[in-house]
């Protein structure tokens, strides 16, 4: 057999690399969720600046925001914070931001506001995207559930991981949305002396 042309070889290698990256991410996500489920995940307890967390979470999405014509709008005090694991919290927030960007095909603003209260710290992420239908809304945190309009390579794990990650840190995440009117995610991390059921 004749050797493939260099261009074909390069394309083939690129496709293999993409597939390997997806597989690596999937295995990593499933391992993390298994640790959360079993209660064996070891998280850091550190004082996290919410503003710093948001900026760090948005950093890997800068190119995607530019391509989609999405502007990040921040509103909150520089001193607001909570106790948690910075790395895992950033991954959870990135997933929410990424979801918002992917549903804003016509661009727009992605609003992120935060506050620290006596009982909990709150992060609210609101997009101007296509919104989520009433039928889909109850399922968006289910594992492997892919919403309408999701990218073909979406595995339906991002929001499931986010919910588990926030819950593991004595928190909760809720969502409000209407088809055609955008979506709001509300993340609450409760202080150590309070329980999220309050």
């Amino acid at each position: 057999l004749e050797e493939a042309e260099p261009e074909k070889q390069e394309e083939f290698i690129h496709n293999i690399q993409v597939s390997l990256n997806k597989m690596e991410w999937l295995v990593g996500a499933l391992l993390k969720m298994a640790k959360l489920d079993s209660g064996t995940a070891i998280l850091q307890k550190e004082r996290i600046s919410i503003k710093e967390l948001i900026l760090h979470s948005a950093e890997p999405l800068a190119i995607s925001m530019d391509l989609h014509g999405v502007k990040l709008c921040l509103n909150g005090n520089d001193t607001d914070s909570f106790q948690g694991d910075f790395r895992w919290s950033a991954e959870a927030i990135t997933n929410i931001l990424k979801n918002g960007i992917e549903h804003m095909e016509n661009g727009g603003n992605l609003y992120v506001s935060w506050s620290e209260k006596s009982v909990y710290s709150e992060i609210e992420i609101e997009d101007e995207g296509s919104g989520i239908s009433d039928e889909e809304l109850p399922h968006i945190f289910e594992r492997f559930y892919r919403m309408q309009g999701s990218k073909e390579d979406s595995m339906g794990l991002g929001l499931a991981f986010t919910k588990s990650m926030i819950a593991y840190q004595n928190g909760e995440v809720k969502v409000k949305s209407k088809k055609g009117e955008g979506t709001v995610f509300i993340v609450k991390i409760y202080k150590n002396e309070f329980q999220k059921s309050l």
Side-chain angles (χ1 to χ4, degrees), residues 1 6-7 15 17 52 104 127 148 154 167 169 178 185:
L1 293 174
E7 292 81 6
N15 291 338
Q17 188 62 54
E52 183 181 342
M104 295 172 68
D127 67 55
Q148 291 182 12
S154 172
Q169 297 186 87
K178 284 191 176 296
F185 284 88

Side-chain angles (χ1 to χ4, degrees), residues 43 51 57 84 102 108 119 134 138 141 183:
L43 274 63
K51 182 177 182 179
S57 302
E102 289 179 352
V119 176
D134 292 340
F141 293 114
T183 301

Side-chain angles (χ1 to χ4, degrees), residues 122-181:
E122 181 178 83
I123 301 171
E124 186 173 294
I125 300 171
E126 179 178 0
D127 67 55
E128 296 180 327
S130 55
I132 304 169
S133 68
D134 292 340
E135 292 76 22
E136 287 196 295
L137 203 56
H139 304 289
I140 65 169
F141 293 114
E142 294 175 4
R143 296 178 192 184
F144 302 109
Y145 183 80
R146 298 176 69 248
M147 287 186 284
Q148 291 182 12
S150 297
K151 287 188 174 181
E152 289 185 7
D153 59 354
S154 172
M155 298 177 187
L157 281 175
L159 292 180
F161 171 80
T162 293
K163 186 179 177 72
S164 296
M165 184 65 263
I166 298 302
Y168 202 79
Q169 297 186 87
N170 192 32
E172 61 183 353
V173 54
K174 295 183 178 180
V175 59
K176 297 186 295 185
S177 185
K178 284 191 176 296
K179 195 67 177 174
E181 297 183 14

Side-chain angles (χ1 to χ4, degrees), residues 42-143:
I42 300 175
L43 274 63
Q44 301 296 317
K45 275 290 185 182
E46 54 194 327
R47 179 60 58 183
I48 296 175
S49 161
I50 300 178
K51 182 177 182 179
E52 183 181 342
L53 175 69
I54 299 302
L55 292 173
H56 182 83
S57 302
E59 192 174 327
L61 303 172
I63 294 175
S64 181
M65 282 191 285
D66 189 48
L67 291 173
H68 285 79
V70 173
K71 180 182 178 183
L72 190 65
C73 304
L74 306 182
N75 181 32
N77 295 322
D78 291 355
T79 55
D80 289 344
S81 62
F82 67 89
Q83 284 277 347
D85 185 290
F86 187 90
R87 183 173 59 88
W88 286 62
S89 297
E91 190 167 345
I93 297 299
T94 296
N95 288 334
I96 297 177
L97 295 173
K98 182 172 179 283
N99 181 79
I101 295 167
E102 289 179 352
H103 288 83
M104 295 172 68
E105 295 180 359
N106 299 318
N109 295 319
L110 187 57
Y111 300 98
V112 183
S113 58
W114 64 89
S115 59
E116 183 179 0
K117 306 181 189 304
S118 59
V119 176
Y120 58 82
S121 293
E122 181 178 83
I123 301 171
E124 186 173 294
I125 300 171
E126 179 178 0
D127 67 55
E128 296 180 327
S130 55
I132 304 169
S133 68
D134 292 340
E135 292 76 22
E136 287 196 295
L137 203 56
H139 304 289
I140 65 169
F141 293 114
E142 294 175 4
R143 296 178 192 184

Side-chain angles (χ1 to χ4, degrees), residues 11-23:
E11 181 182 352
F12 182 69
I13 293 171
H14 172 74
N15 291 338
I16 290 177
Q17 188 62 54
V18 169
S19 297
L20 287 173
N21 290 341
K22 288 181 184 176
M23 190 178 300

